[in-house]
Amino acid sequence: MSNAANPRTLLIVGGSGFLSGTLARTATARGYQVWTITRGRQPLPAGAANLRADRHDPAAFARAVAAAQTHWDLVVDCIGYEVADARQDIEVFRERTRHFVFVSTDFVFDPAHRRFPQGEETAYYLQEGYGGNKRLCELEFINGDTGSMAWTILRPCHIYGPGSQLGCLPLHGRDPQLIAKLRSGQPLQLVGGGHFLQQPILAADLAALILRAGESPATRGQIFCTAGPELIESRDYYRIIADILEVDLCIKELPVDQHLSAHPETATFLCHRIYDLSKLRTAGVELPATPLAKGLRQHVESLLPG
């Protein structure tokens, strides 16, 4: 662990977003010297040094990183989702960091062929869309020339917490009006009645896990499912929010087949998202532990006025 005399160094690709901002604040609080690389359009967490560049301008991105003249202990890409992003990560950072963490997603799994619980290995990955693109990014690290740079890939499920909107299912996913709808007694339209199982992970817990993974030799060259400590039905996620607001929860069930017929792109949300975390345990990485009710209270209170 870092100390004041010899702080660890971290560069975040991103830094002003939901997860990346949470990671920057968590790392700063733990004594890291934190850099971010962003377009400079959003406020940055206090204490972070920013390298200003748009990653979609490869030459400018490479120049900004080179100009820092720094070799980082850890680099984390919180925002990459195209093959070009992963290739850029390898090319630009393989000689500039000891350890690289790429944040992927549990959407890489084909929802029609999941196991319960789902482990890291499967023969059934999505071939298109967001999850398909993330899987292609993973393959760049698996098959690419990363030189002496160690890498770790994390596949988080639904991430919640301050800095984002509430909601984990279509029609009420990241819904900025969710609190107002609940307070007005408006029924929530939940596909399948919200019976799908999942393990939401608090952003602050995921940020701490990223740092632990970056500090552990046992995670090098490995992929890990990352999820929260509780297995719940999605409707219970909304019920906890209603209880925090001290209002009743009213659910209108929407047929799954009907919704998927009209919105096939939402299939990755409409399945059980439960994970085997034994590989993380075997690697000696401390698992997320914040109870969902506690984390959701933090999230709700962050969105209330005053």
Side-chain angles (χ1 to χ4, degrees):
M1 184 55 67
S2 61
N3 55 64
N6 186 29
R8 297 176 65 85
T9 54
L10 165 68
L11 172 65
I12 305 169
V13 182
S16 59
F18 170 38
L19 175 59
S20 59
T22 303
L23 175 60
R25 290 186 290 273
T26 301
T28 299
R30 293 183 176 219
Y32 278 75
Q33 287 186 348
V34 177
W35 280 259
T36 62
I37 183 162
T38 73
R39 292 173 295 178
R41 297 178 181 177
Q42 301 293 332
L44 294 169
N50 189 46
L51 308 178
R52 186 168 181 172
D54 185 341
R55 77 173 312 161
H56 295 111
D57 183 342
F61 186 89
R63 285 197 302 270
V65 172
Q69 297 184 324
T70 301
H71 187 279
W72 291 277
D73 294 310
L74 175 63
V75 175
V76 181
D77 188 349
C78 291
I79 60 175
Y81 67 95
E82 296 179 350
V83 169
D85 298 335
R87 291 175 179 169
Q88 180 185 64
D89 288 336
I90 294 170
E91 179 181 352
V92 172
F93 294 112
R94 64 184 162 201
E95 303 298 332
R96 292 187 174 91
T97 185
R98 175 184 58 81
H99 200 144
F100 193 98
V101 173
F102 183 82
V103 181
S104 186
T105 175
D106 69 327
F107 287 165
V108 298
F109 297 112
D110 185 337
H113 296 280
R114 283 175 174 256
R115 299 195 306 274
F116 307 113
Q118 176 67 57
E120 284 78 9
E121 301 301 322
T122 183
Y124 302 101
Y125 290 105
L126 284 183
Q127 303 298 313
E128 58 186 8
Y130 180 72
N133 285 342
K134 282 283 197 178
R135 176 56 183 169
L136 292 176
C137 289
E138 293 181 356
L139 291 173
E140 290 296 318
F141 288 94
I142 294 168
N143 299 322
D145 178 9
T146 57
S148 62
M149 179 183 78
W151 57 263
T152 302
I153 293 169
L154 302 180
R155 293 173 177 161
C157 56
H158 175 71
I159 308 170
Y160 74 101
S164 180
Q165 297 294 339
L166 290 159
C168 62
L169 283 180
L171 301 185
H172 298 293
R174 311 286 184 199
D175 183 355
Q177 299 302 314
L178 183 64
I179 289 175
K181 290 172 183 176
L182 287 169
R183 282 179 160 172
S184 69
Q186 180 176 332
L188 299 188
Q189 300 183 71
L190 300 186
V191 181
H195 76 276
F196 300 103
L197 293 167
Q198 61 173 293
Q199 292 172 261
I201 183 170
L202 182 66
D205 280 357
L206 178 55
L209 190 152
I210 289 170
L211 297 177
R212 291 193 292 268
E215 294 166 353
S216 172
T219 68
R220 295 175 180 177
Q222 300 296 318
I223 299 176
F224 297 96
C225 294
T226 54
E230 295 179 54
L231 175 62
I232 64 161
E233 290 188 336
S234 300
R235 57 188 158 197
D236 289 330
Y237 168 103
Y238 292 98
R239 184 169 290 111
I240 292 170
I241 295 170
D243 289 345
I244 293 169
L245 295 171
E246 298 182 340
V247 299
D248 293 329
L249 174 65
C250 183
I251 294 174
K252 178 182 179 181
E253 181 172 352
L254 301 181
V256 176
D257 291 345
Q258 179 179 320
H259 183 84
L260 283 174
S261 178
H263 304 282
E265 73 282 359
T266 63
T268 50
F269 293 93
L270 303 178
C271 60
H272 297 310
R273 299 165 66 186
I274 57 179
Y275 300 97
D276 179 356
L277 303 181
S278 59
K279 187 176 177 181
L280 272 175
R281 293 190 189 93
T282 300
V285 179
E286 182 182 349
L287 299 183
T290 302
L292 184 61
K294 179 179 179 180
L296 279 176
R297 181 170 292 278
Q298 294 173 11
H299 194 170
V300 170
E301 290 178 350
S302 75
L303 294 169
L304 297 176

